[in-house]
Amino acid sequence: VNQVANLTLVSSACDIVSTAYASTKESHPYIRSVCDAAEKGVKSVTEATASCVQPVLTTLEPHVAAASEYASKSLDKLEEKLPLLQKPVEQILSDTKELVSLRVADVKDAVSS
C-alpha cells in the first residue's frame, strides 16, 4: 500500500482530491457539517475495528508478508512497463491535451486536403 501511495500519479491525484475536499468543506457550511460527521464516524469505526482485527492480523502476518512481497515485485514490473505512473496528474493531462490537439490538427489537415 505504501509503495502504491508513493507513486507520483497516485500521490498527486490524492493531493488534488484532498485539496478539492478541503476547499468544498470550507466553501459550503452544510457540506462541512455532513463531512465532519462522516469523518467522526469513520474514525470511530476505524478505532473500534483496529482492536478486533489485530489478533487476526497477527495470525495472518506471514501470509500478509508473502502477499506483500509478491505485490511489491508485481508493482515494480508495472512501474517499468507504465512510466506514466511516475508522472503527476497535471503532466498527464497536459500531455494528453497536447496529443489530442496534434491529432485534431492532423485530421483537419487531412480533411482540408
Side-chain angles (χ1 to χ4, degrees):
V1 171
N2 287 334
Q3 191 174 358
V4 170
N6 287 328
L7 291 172
T8 305
L9 176 64
V10 174
S11 64
S12 70
C14 288
D15 290 343
I16 289 169
V17 170
S18 178
T19 301
Y21 179 76
S23 174
T24 301
K25 276 181 63 174
E26 194 64 33
S27 302
H28 305 284
Y30 295 116
I31 292 176
R32 181 182 324 132
S33 61
V34 170
C35 291
D36 288 345
E39 290 170 14
K40 287 177 185 173
V42 168
K43 184 177 179 183
S44 297
V45 169
T46 303
E47 290 170 352
T49 305
S51 61
C52 297
V53 172
Q54 190 57 48
V56 175
L57 289 178
T58 303
T59 304
L60 296 175
E61 191 171 351
H63 305 292
V64 171
S68 179
E69 180 68 23
Y70 178 76
S72 179
K73 288 178 183 177
S74 298
L75 188 56
D76 289 341
K77 290 179 184 177
L78 189 62
E79 286 181 76
E80 288 175 23
K81 294 183 180 189
L82 294 173
L84 74 97
L85 293 173
Q86 294 303 331
K87 294 181 180 181
V89 171
E90 295 87 356
Q91 184 179 356
I92 293 170
L93 291 174
S94 174
D95 292 350
T96 302
K97 287 178 185 176
E98 185 178 327
L99 181 62
V100 168
S101 295
L102 290 173
R103 295 298 179 234
V104 168
D106 289 345
V107 169
K108 283 181 181 178
D109 290 344
V111 168
S112 65
S113 64

